Amino acid sequence: MIVEILISFFLLVGAAFALIGSIGLARLPDFFMRLHGPTKATTLGVGGLMLASAVYFTAREVGLSLHELLITLFLFITAPISAHLLAKAALHLRVRQLGEKPQTRWDRSK
């Protein structure tokens, strides 16, 4: 009974974070703000889902289930790196931010 409550808690928390991250990706106004949704909230959401899966398979089988731990570790390592690379690419391509005026020819020559 306690294991089922724990699994349900992790599933609900993970699903809530994934939903919040997805809404942020769809609703935030510019690229740099949208980058936070999938990299922060959705990563935590998937981490919660992986914890629920680890608890489920650990309780069901004999021994500790490490597959989910490795997936979570891989996700927590790669998500910030990919967000950093996307942000650097956007800065290199001069993607406009919210409230930023379009650059004129005079601004580009500075």
Side-chain angles (χ1 to χ4, degrees):
M1 179 71 176
I2 293 175
V3 172
E4 293 170 355
I5 292 172
L6 192 63
I7 291 170
S8 300
F9 172 75
F10 283 132
L11 283 176
L12 288 175
V13 169
F17 273 110
L19 179 66
I20 291 169
S22 300
I23 290 172
L25 178 65
R27 299 286 300 175
L28 290 175
D30 73 352
F31 175 79
F32 293 102
M33 291 182 188
R34 281 189 206 135
L35 197 56
H36 286 282
T39 57
K40 307 276 189 296
T42 306
T43 302
L44 284 176
V46 173
L49 296 176
M50 289 295 117
L51 274 175
S53 177
V55 170
Y56 174 76
F57 284 110
T58 300
R60 186 175 172 202
E61 299 171 359
V62 177
L64 185 64
S65 176
L66 294 178
H67 299 104
E68 292 82 7
L69 184 66
L70 291 174
I71 293 170
T72 304
L73 182 67
F74 178 75
L75 181 72
F76 284 177
I77 290 172
T78 57
I81 293 171
S82 63
H84 179 73
L85 291 176
L86 285 171
K88 284 193 75 145
L91 287 174
H92 180 72
L93 294 174
R94 297 182 181 171
V95 173
R96 286 190 357 196
Q97 298 178 7
L98 183 68
E100 183 180 2
K101 294 187 299 188
Q103 290 186 344
T104 61
R105 191 177 275 175
W106 174 259
D107 294 333
R108 290 183 193 144
S109 64
K110 289 182 182 178

